[in-house]
């Protein structure tokens, strides 16, 4: 009898629990819906033209579902608001303002920078030290780190690092000489990705990664990071519904433990070895060691006298902070430079006359500089620079610039006031493909960047590296390795499209940066065989 009653009570309890759950789920869904859609009329109430959001995708469904790359998704909406200075979107349930007026872009990035110091409001605050790098830091932390690192990217420092790049250039040439004998198409994206990895491993970590000749531990550990990818839709939905305060408490880590430990050990061992043996390589890691020891890295400050600034004195860098900056050096430099070089060779393969002009210019610069590719020689190739700029216009690695409003901001010549925490989006890809600024925007025309043509355009419709105090700190380094890679290839090989190569190139819809979905297949012919 007792067993029967007990079972009966258990049944009633389970039935009651199921009933409660049955009632609770719709209630939770309702609260999630209300939480997510609370800002859907935000721009309407302010009288700002806007793209309506639909639950749970926001204003740009294709982007949320990864059916379009960010460049194409934002450009489609950009075209819907012709004649407007700005318009509103709903993204992740929050309001964002897209800027279409280049003069207003200048205000935000430069003149009123104090209102937009941070790149983007971070939902997840990284807890692991190597994620606390210059790209992710905000406010005063960012300002202090930027001040410390800026002297490491002067032209003088780049000239010293170039010596390390020369070895990678020779390895690239040797690899291609052997590879072309197979008479098979080569994926330029993979090839130049390995070349770029070798350069960054040498300059940022003091390592010879040998990625062109085979996989090393460096390649194995960081190989998974070669393709930057956006979080899946399911993960994004979770982030939408979990309160931001909770995410700030959860010990989130943005890098895998094995990657973190590997990089920490590489930097720790390299620093200890160099300091013990008084070794100098004039690479990025050397410069970080100087900052760690509160020594000046400024070209203009001599060793005598006071060698530390007020912000540097007494506060150097920890090993984790050094690793963080070397890590972002890799992340920021690898994918962008390799993609730009492969896109550039793709266009030069389609425009053999332009490729011939670049080759002729490089040959002349080579003769003026002793017959070898050196730093000075790459400073004397203005047409190659135009070709690179046109590639950056067509295929810029970062399709949008984001800024977070850090102080309440009244948009000039309007009645709109932005609140702290709201995001501003500057659609650089859309500016780069707007026929108002670039006639025939999808045509490859390097002459657009001849000095006489550039001066006729608004300077803020070409933004491959951002602008203002928070622009890309590694711009010089990125351009230098891009020039070196292209010069090495073009001086030694004639490049043609492989028959299998798709035209136009499709962008990867899951990548955070602009990169080809299926690689870039090219045929390389040694110049000695070209009649």
């Amino acid at each position: 009898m007792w067993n029967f009653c007990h079972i009966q009570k258990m049944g009633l309890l389970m039935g009651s629990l199921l009933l409660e759950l049955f009632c609770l789920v719709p209630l939770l869904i309702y609260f999630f819906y209300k939480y997510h859609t609370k800002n859907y009329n935000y721009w309407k109430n302010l009288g700002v033209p806007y793209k309506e959001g639909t639950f749970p995708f926001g204003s740009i469904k294709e982007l949320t579902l990864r059916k379009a790359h960010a460049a194409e998704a934002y450009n489609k909406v950009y075209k819907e608001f012709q004649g407007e200075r700005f318009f509103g979107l709903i993204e992740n349930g929050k309001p964002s303002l897209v800027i279409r007026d280049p003069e207003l872009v200048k205000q935000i990035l430069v003149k009123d920078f104090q209102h937009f110091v941070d790149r983007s409001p971070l939902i997840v605050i990284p807890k692991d030290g190597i994620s606390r790098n210059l790209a992710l830091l905000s406010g005063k932390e960012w300002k202090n780190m930027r001040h410390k690192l800026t002297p490491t990217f002067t032209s003088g420092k780049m000239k010293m690092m170039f010596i390390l790049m020369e070895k990678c250039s020779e390895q690239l040439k040797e690899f291609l000489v052997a590879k072309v004998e197979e008479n098979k198409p080569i994926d330029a994206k993979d090839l130049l990705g390995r070349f770029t990895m070798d350069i960054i491993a040498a300059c940022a970590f003091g390592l010879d990664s040998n990625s062109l000749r085979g996989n090393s531990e460096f390649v194995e550990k960081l190989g998974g990071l070669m393709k930057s990818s956006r979080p899946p839709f399911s993960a994004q939905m979770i982030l939408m519904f979990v309160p931001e305060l909770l995410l700030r408490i959860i010990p989130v880590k943005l890098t895998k433990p094995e990657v973190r430990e590997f990089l920490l050990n590489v930097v720790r061992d390299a620093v200890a070895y160099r300091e013990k043996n008084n070794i100098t390589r004039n690479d990025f890691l050397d410069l970080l060691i100087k900052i760690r020891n509160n020594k000046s890295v400024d070209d203009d400050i001599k060793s005598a006298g006071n060698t530390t600034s007020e912000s540097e004195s007494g506060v150097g860098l920890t090993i984790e902070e050094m690793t963080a900056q070397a890590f972002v050096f890799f992340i920021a430099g690898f994918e962008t430079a390799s993609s730009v070089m492969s896109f550039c060779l793709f266009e030069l393969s389609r425009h053999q006359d332009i490729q011939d002009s670049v080759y002729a210019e490089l040959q002349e610069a080579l003769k003026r500089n002793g017959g070898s590719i050196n730093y000075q020689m790459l400073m004397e190739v203005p047409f190659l620079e135009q070709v690179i700029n046109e590639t950056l216009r067509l295929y810029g690695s970062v399709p949008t610039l984001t800024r977070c409003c850090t102080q309440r901001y009244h948009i000039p010549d309007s009645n709109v006031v932005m609140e702290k925490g709201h995001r501003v989006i500057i659609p650089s890809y859309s500016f780069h493909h707007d026929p108002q600024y670039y006639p025939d925007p999808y045509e490859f025309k390097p002459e657009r960047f001849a000095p006489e043509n550039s001066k006729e355009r608004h300077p803020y419709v070409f933004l491959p590296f951002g602008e203002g105090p928070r622009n890309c700190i590694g711009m010089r380094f990125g351009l230098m390795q891009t020039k070196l890679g292209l010069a090495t290839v073009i001086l030694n090989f004639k490049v043609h499209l492989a028959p299998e190569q798709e035209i136009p190139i499709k962008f990867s819809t899951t990548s955070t940066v602009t990169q080809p979905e299926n690689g870039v297949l090219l045929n390389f012919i040694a110049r000695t065989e070209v009649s």
Side-chain angles (χ1 to χ4, degrees):
M1 187 71 178
W2 180 88
N3 287 338
F4 175 77
C5 293
H6 180 70
I7 292 171
Q8 190 177 39
K9 287 179 181 179
M10 286 293 292
L12 291 172
L13 182 63
M14 289 299 294
S16 176
L17 181 60
L18 289 173
L19 180 61
E20 289 178 6
L21 287 173
F22 184 77
C23 295
L24 182 61
V25 169
L27 188 62
L28 287 174
I29 293 174
Y30 172 76
F31 280 124
F32 284 163
Y33 172 80
K34 295 297 289 185
Y35 174 78
H36 182 65
T37 61
K38 64 182 179 181
N39 290 313
Y40 271 41
N41 290 323
Y42 182 86
W43 296 117
K44 180 180 180 180
N45 295 336
L46 284 182
V48 173
Y50 72 106
K51 176 80 172 178
E52 289 189 6
T54 57
F55 178 80
F57 308 106
S59 299
I60 311 181
K61 182 178 180 180
E62 299 93 335
L63 184 60
T64 307
L65 292 175
R66 310 293 179 263
K67 290 186 176 180
H69 186 263
E72 296 158 335
Y74 281 110
N75 195 40
K76 181 179 178 182
V77 185
Y78 175 92
K79 292 176 180 178
E80 295 177 16
F81 291 88
Q82 296 283 349
E84 301 290 352
R85 294 175 64 215
F86 49 79
F87 62 91
L89 296 177
I90 298 297
E91 298 182 305
N92 293 348
K94 298 177 181 179
S96 297
L97 192 70
V98 182
I99 310 300
R100 291 187 93 262
D101 175 14
E103 195 59 35
L104 184 52
V105 170
K106 182 179 179 180
Q107 288 281 150
I108 289 169
L109 295 182
V110 181
K111 292 185 177 180
D112 295 325
F113 174 73
Q114 69 274 16
H115 292 269
F116 300 94
V117 175
D118 297 344
R119 280 218 170 120
S120 184
L122 290 175
I123 296 176
V124 178
I125 304 299
K127 299 297 182 181
D128 54 331
I130 69 169
S131 292
R132 301 192 66 77
N133 55 62
L134 189 65
L136 298 181
L137 291 176
S138 58
K140 189 175 180 180
E141 282 187 306
W142 165 80
K143 184 178 180 181
N144 289 340
M145 186 62 72
R146 176 87 181 201
H147 182 84
K148 291 176 180 180
L149 295 180
T150 295
T152 69
F153 290 97
T154 62
S155 56
K157 298 299 186 299
M158 293 300 100
K159 192 172 183 178
M160 288 190 290
M161 285 193 218
F162 186 82
I163 297 171
L164 301 172
M165 294 185 180
E166 288 179 311
K167 181 180 178 181
C168 300
S169 170
E170 284 300 316
Q171 291 173 346
L172 174 62
K173 178 183 173 182
E174 291 170 5
F175 176 83
L176 275 173
V177 167
K179 198 73 176 174
V180 294
E181 293 181 359
E182 298 177 9
N183 199 29
K184 295 179 181 178
I186 296 173
D187 183 355
K189 179 63 176 65
D190 178 71
L191 170 75
L192 295 167
R194 291 174 178 272
F195 165 70
T196 305
M197 175 173 277
D198 287 344
I199 285 182
I200 295 175
C203 293
F205 295 93
L207 295 176
D208 182 4
S209 64
N210 298 319
S211 67
L212 280 168
R213 291 172 287 180
N215 287 345
S216 64
E217 188 179 8
F218 190 84
V219 176
E220 290 173 3
K221 295 293 185 183
L222 299 185
L225 300 174
M226 285 186 177
K227 291 187 177 181
S228 305
S229 59
R230 299 171 61 86
F233 175 64
S234 57
Q236 191 172 1
M237 289 298 101
I238 293 172
L239 291 178
M240 286 181 188
F241 296 133
V242 176
E244 186 173 332
L245 180 61
L246 182 60
L247 287 172
R248 291 177 181 271
I249 298 171
I250 298 172
V252 177
K253 294 189 176 183
L254 302 185
T255 50
K256 293 180 180 179
E258 59 269 25
V259 173
R260 174 180 175 275
E261 289 306 313
F262 170 72
L263 292 176
L264 277 171
N265 289 332
V266 166
V267 173
R268 186 183 293 113
D269 293 346
V271 171
Y273 181 78
R274 293 187 192 192
E275 290 184 337
K276 179 181 178 180
N277 297 282
N278 197 27
I279 292 174
T280 300
R281 277 173 50 98
N282 291 319
D283 57 7
F284 185 62
L285 191 57
D286 265 1
L287 302 174
L288 292 178
I289 291 172
K290 287 184 178 180
I291 298 173
R292 169 181 169 81
N293 296 324
N294 292 315
K295 293 179 180 179
S296 172
V297 295
D298 195 319
D299 290 323
D300 300 325
I301 299 177
K302 307 302 179 182
S303 57
N306 180 21
T307 60
T308 57
S309 70
E310 182 179 346
S311 70
E312 291 175 328
S313 59
V315 182
L317 294 174
T318 66
I319 289 294
E320 283 209 341
E321 286 175 324
M322 293 174 70
T323 307
Q325 310 324 312
F327 179 62
V328 78
F329 193 105
F330 170 80
I331 293 296
F334 167 76
E335 194 59 67
T336 53
S338 59
S339 291
V340 168
M341 283 187 280
S342 54
F343 282 130
C344 188
L345 290 179
F346 168 78
E347 289 295 344
L348 291 178
S349 298
R350 298 180 68 202
H351 301 85
Q352 291 291 325
D353 56 331
I354 299 177
Q355 185 178 163
D356 291 342
S357 296
V358 172
Y359 175 68
E361 180 185 61
L362 287 168
Q363 282 281 69
E364 288 297 317
L366 209 61
K367 292 176 184 177
R368 292 194 301 269
N369 290 275
S372 63
I373 301 176
N374 55 46
Y375 183 85
Q376 183 58 38
M377 176 251 179
L378 292 180
M379 296 299 106
E380 301 175 4
V381 283
F383 186 64
L384 176 59
E385 290 177 7
Q386 291 177 35
V387 167
I388 291 172
N389 281 338
E390 178 67 346
T391 305
L392 287 167
R393 182 192 69 80
L394 274 172
Y395 307 102
S397 297
V398 183
T400 62
L401 306 175
T402 59
R403 294 293 186 269
C404 177
C405 184
T406 53
Q407 299 178 34
R408 203 164 182 264
Y409 181 68
H410 177 228
I411 297 178
D413 304 317
S414 79
N415 297 320
V416 179
V417 175
M418 289 201 69
E419 299 297 335
K420 181 179 178 180
H422 286 174
R423 190 166 79 145
V424 169
I425 299 169
I426 297 166
S428 51
Y429 179 92
S430 298
F431 281 126
H432 295 173
H433 293 76
D434 191 330
Q436 178 182 353
Y437 310 118
Y438 299 98
D440 301 318
Y442 293 92
E443 296 295 318
F444 186 73
K445 297 181 178 181
E447 63 270 19
R448 300 181 203 270
F449 291 93
E452 63 274 16
N453 295 328
S454 292
K455 68 181 182 181
E456 295 178 359
R457 284 190 302 272
H458 196 291
Y460 285 76
V461 296
F462 183 58
L463 300 164
F465 298 100
E467 281 292 347
R470 194 132 195 183
N471 68 346
C472 176
I473 193 173
M475 177 179 66
R476 280 193 181 99
F477 184 89
L479 287 174
M480 186 166 68
Q481 66 177 346
T482 298
K483 283 184 182 180
L484 178 60
L486 291 172
T488 302
V489 170
I490 295 169
L491 278 169
N492 295 285
F493 304 93
K494 185 88 169 176
V495 187
H496 297 271
L497 282 182
E500 304 95 317
Q501 175 58 42
E502 61 183 6
I503 302 175
I505 288 180
K506 294 178 182 178
F507 295 159
S508 170
T509 60
T510 59
S511 174
T512 55
V513 297
T514 306
Q515 62 173 308
E517 178 73 43
N518 302 308
V520 179
L521 296 176
L522 304 176
N523 288 322
F524 293 76
I525 303 174
R527 287 280 177 187
T528 54
E529 300 176 10
V530 178
S531 57

